[in-house]
Amino acid sequence: MEALLGFTKIVLTASSSEASEWHHSIWQQMLSATIPAKYGHRWVNPDTLINESWPDGRAKYVPNGLRMVETLLLREYSEADVVVCYVENLEKFVGPETKVLAIHAHNPLGISYATDVYSKLAGENLML
């Protein structure tokens, strides 16, 4: 179902690294999350962060948790009221009628094994 531009009530999104399905590799997401920002531009190919959208701008691939939230919302709201898109397509759906903008956070506290242990292999406090 095609959403009216700027009139979507609920918009769900995820960062490019969390939504990446580049070569359908689970390692890509882990590497994107663990490489310190100081080195990210050297080790992460920008093409890996380009995600596929449907023609209307909706996201093809997002983290499973975000799809679960979408599924639960669709029990109460129509497809025209709930959209999952990538950050680069937010302007297609967020507008004056938008009531909720939910941003997926896979690891909001930064305490997963990948971000806690693997990032320390390159040295602590390398965010700058």
Side-chain angles (χ1 to χ4, degrees):
M1 170 166 275
E2 194 170 322
L4 298 173
L5 296 181
F7 289 93
T8 308
K9 290 182 183 175
I10 302 169
V11 180
L12 310 174
T13 191
S15 70
S16 295
S17 62
E18 290 181 0
S20 175
E21 285 293 329
W22 189 69
H23 290 209
H24 299 286
S25 168
I26 59 170
W27 296 103
Q28 169 60 32
Q29 290 177 337
M30 184 183 71
L31 289 173
S32 295
T34 60
I35 294 174
K38 180 177 180 180
Y39 302 115
H41 66 282
R42 295 182 193 161
W43 294 346
V44 176
N45 179 345
D47 292 341
T48 66
L49 301 177
I50 297 172
N51 296 304
E52 292 180 66
S53 296
W54 295 107
D56 69 352
R58 292 174 189 256
K60 280 192 177 183
Y61 307 107
V62 292
N64 186 52
L66 200 58
R67 283 290 183 217
M68 292 172 69
V69 170
E70 176 192 29
T71 300
L72 292 170
L73 287 168
L74 288 173
R75 290 180 178 178
E76 300 293 326
Y77 298 93
S78 74
E79 286 186 33
D81 290 337
V82 180
V83 167
V84 179
C85 69
Y86 302 121
V87 174
E88 59 267 17
N89 289 331
L90 284 174
E91 71 279 354
K92 293 181 180 181
F93 302 104
V94 175
E97 297 297 319
T98 302
K99 302 296 181 202
V100 176
L101 173 60
I103 303 168
H104 180 269
H106 178 73
N107 184 20
L109 299 177
I111 56 173
S112 75
Y113 187 79
T115 54
D116 187 45
V117 176
Y118 293 152
S119 63
K120 289 180 182 173
L121 294 175
E124 292 188 50
N125 303 319
L126 292 177
M127 293 305 294
L128 301 175

